[in-house]
Amino acid sequence: MTNTFTDGMQGQSNEDLNILDFVNTLKRRKRIILFTTSIFFLGSIIWTSFERWKFPVFSGSFTILINDPLSNSGDSRKPSSFRAATSSSGRLFQELALNSKTSDIPTLIQLLKSPLLLNSISSKYNLSINNLISKISIKTVGERLTEAKGVLKVSLQARDIKTGSKILKDLSKTYLEAALNQRQQRLSDGLLFLNTQRPALESKLSELQIQLANFRSKNNLIEPSKEGLQLKRRQLEMENKIFELETYNDTLENVKKEVLEGKINSTGFKEAITPGSLSSEFTNSRGNGLTINDADQGLIEKLQIVEKELAEARATYTNNSSVVRSLQERLEKLRPLIQKSQIEAVEVAIDFNNSNIVKAKSQESELQKKFLKLPKLIKEYEDIQQELLIAKENLSGLVSARETFLLEMAQSSLPWKIIVPPKINPIPVAPSYRNNIFLGLALGLAIGIVIALLRDLLDNGFHTTLEIEQALKLPLIGYMPFIPAFNAIREERSSIIPVYNELTKIENKSNYERFFFQESLRSIYTSIKFLNAEESIKTIILSSSIPKEGKSLLNILLAKTLSELGRKVLLIDADLRKPAVHSRLGINNIQGLSNLLTQEEKPWQSYVQEIKEFDNFNVLTAGTIPPDPTRLLGSSRMKTFLSEVKNSGKYDLIIIDTPPILGLADTSIMSQLVDGLILIVTLDNIDRRLAKDSLMQIKKIKGPVLG
C-alpha cells in the first residue's frame, strides 16, 4: 500500500517536473519563439495581401425553396394536389408510387453536385467537372438546431465576377428544370406503378368476396357474432330451467316426507304439490308436475266429509258416543288409503321431474357444444371481413391516387422556387486575412516551439539547479544569483571593494541585490557546516571546471560574508598560473604562497595580508609565478603548511582558490590536502559534459567532493 502510494507520488512529481521543464525551456528560448512567430505572422499578411490582389476569389449564392412551408405535408417532393388526399391508403399509394417515404437532404445535395446535372455547365464554361463541383457548396439555411430543411443555399466561388454570375444563373435554371423533369418522370413512373397494381387488387377483392359467401353457406351462418349471442341467451335460459326443476324435485321430496310423517292433510297436500311456473315441455298434460286422479280425488272428498261430520258430532255428542266412534273408525280407514295414494302420486311426479332434468341437461350440453364452435368461426369470419375491408380501401385508394396523378401530370408548375436570386459579392472572400493570420500565428508558434525545443536539446548546458543535481548526483550546497553590479569586474580585472562598498550602503536603492547574494553565501556556509557531522570542515576548495565561471569572485564574496558574521577567514590564492585574488582585493602580490613554499626561513604568518576595509578577513596571495606550479602544490611543504594553518586555531574557515579543474592537475592534487571540494557550475554557460568530467577527475583520486 505504501509502495503504491509512493510510486504514485513519484510519478506525479516527475510529471510536474516534466511540465515545469517544458515551461522553463519555452521561457529560455522565448526569443526564438517570438522571432519565428513574428516571421510567420508578417509572412501570412504579405502573402494574403498578394494573393487577394493577384488571385482574388469572389463568392456568390442563391437560395432555393424545395419544400412549401404553407402546405399540410412536410414532404416537399409530393405534389400539391396529393396533399388534399384524406385517405390513408391513398396517401400510402402516392408515397409508394413517388418513392417519397423519406426526405433525404444529404442525398439530394449529392445529386445537385453530381456530374449528371453539372456536365452541361462545365462544358459551357470550359471547366473540369471536378473543378466546378469543388467551387459549389450546398447546405440548409439556419442554425444547426433550427435548420430549415426545406430551404437550400447554393454558394459558388469564382475568380471572375462576371463568369461567376453567369454560372450562378445557369445553376439556378438547371436545378429548377431538373426538379420539374424529375417530378414529371416520377409522376409517369408512379402512374405506371399504380396501373400494374390495380389488377392484383381487384382479383384479391373478388377472391375474398367468394370466400365470404362460401363460409356462410358452409356453416349456415350469416352473422356468427349475433348468433353466438342468441345461443348464449338460450344456454342461460336452459340453466335457469334446470335449476327450477331441481328445486321442484326437492319440494316433492319434502312433501313425500311430510305425508309419511302425517304432517300434511289432504287440503295442504294439494297446495304443496303445485309446481309453480314450469315450462310446458317439462309438465304433464294438465300443466302440473304432479297429478291427482279421480279415485284419489273421491277419497279426499269422502275424507273431508267424514272430518266435517266428526266435527259436528263432537259438538253434539260425547267422545264415547257410538256416532263419534263410528265416524272416527271411518276416518281411520280412509287416511291410510289417501296417504298411500298421495305417496304414489309424489313418487310418480319425482320420476317425471327427474326425466325432465335429464332432458334439460342434454339440451344444455348441445347448446354448449354449438357455442364452443362459434369463437373459431367468428375469428375466421372477422379475418375474412377485415381482409375484405382492407382490399376495398386499397382499391379505392389506388383509384383515388391514379386520378390525382393524372391531374398532376396535366399541370406544369415548378415544384421548386428561387426565393433569393443569384448574386456575386464584389468583395473578395479569399484568401481570408483572419484565417491566414490565425494559421500563420499557429504555425509560427508551433514551429518556434519545435525550434526552441531542438535548440534546447542541442544545448548541453545546465539551465536549472535541478538539472545539475540530476546530472551530477550531488547535493546542491547553495545558489548564487547573478548580480549585474559585479559584471564589469571580471572583464576589467578590477577591485571588488568599491563595488561591494557601494552595494552595502544602507541608502543604496539596490539593497535587494546585496540581500540576495549575502543570504545565498550565508546559506552556502550553513550547508558546509552540516555536510560532515563527525568532523568539522575547516579547509575547502571552491573551484570550477573551466575559467570564467566566477570562482575567484565567489571565493572572495564568501570569505567577506563570513567575516561580517564574525568568522575569521583566510583566503589562499593557490592559482599559481593566473592569480586574480590580489587584483580583485586591490592588494600587492609581491610575496605569497609560492614564496612561502620555496623559502622556509620565514613563518607562514608573515606572508598573510590583512584587508583593511574588511575585519576578520586575511588573504594569502599567489606570490611569484613559479616555473612548475603542480610540483610546488603537491610538495610536502604545502601539506605541512595547510596542516599548520588548520591546527593553529586562528581561522574558522580556510578557503583555497585553485585553477580550473579540467586541463590542469593543480586542483586535483590540492583536493587531497583539504577537508572538501565544492564544484562551481555556472548556469547557461558550461557544457554539462565538462562538469561531469571534472567530477570524475576528482573522484579518480578519491578527492572529498562536498557538492
Side-chain angles (χ1 to χ4, degrees), residues 3 10 17 35 44 108 123 164 200 230 307 329 341 355 369 371 381-382 387 415 442 557 565 583 589 618 630:
N3 292 339
Q10 290 176 350
L17 289 175
F35 176 76
S44 64
L108 175 61
S123 300
Q230 293 176 0
E307 287 178 344
E329 289 176 359
S341 175
S355 66
K369 291 179 181 179
F371 185 77
Y381 175 80
E382 289 181 349
E387 291 182 8
L557 291 176
L565 294 176
S583 60
N589 190 28
N618 294 156
T630 304

Side-chain angles (χ1 to χ4, degrees), residues 11 86 88 127 169 173 198 207 209 217 224 321 334 377 401 427 491 513 536 561 566 584 586 595 600 629 631 685:
T86 57
S88 59
L127 296 173
K169 291 179 181 179
K173 293 178 182 178
R198 182 170 183 174
E207 179 184 341
Q209 289 173 340
S217 175
S321 64
L334 287 172
L377 296 176
I427 300 176
E491 298 174 359
E513 291 185 348
S536 62
T561 300
R584 295 283 192 269
N595 304 100
E600 297 184 2
R631 185 182 63 82
N685 184 42

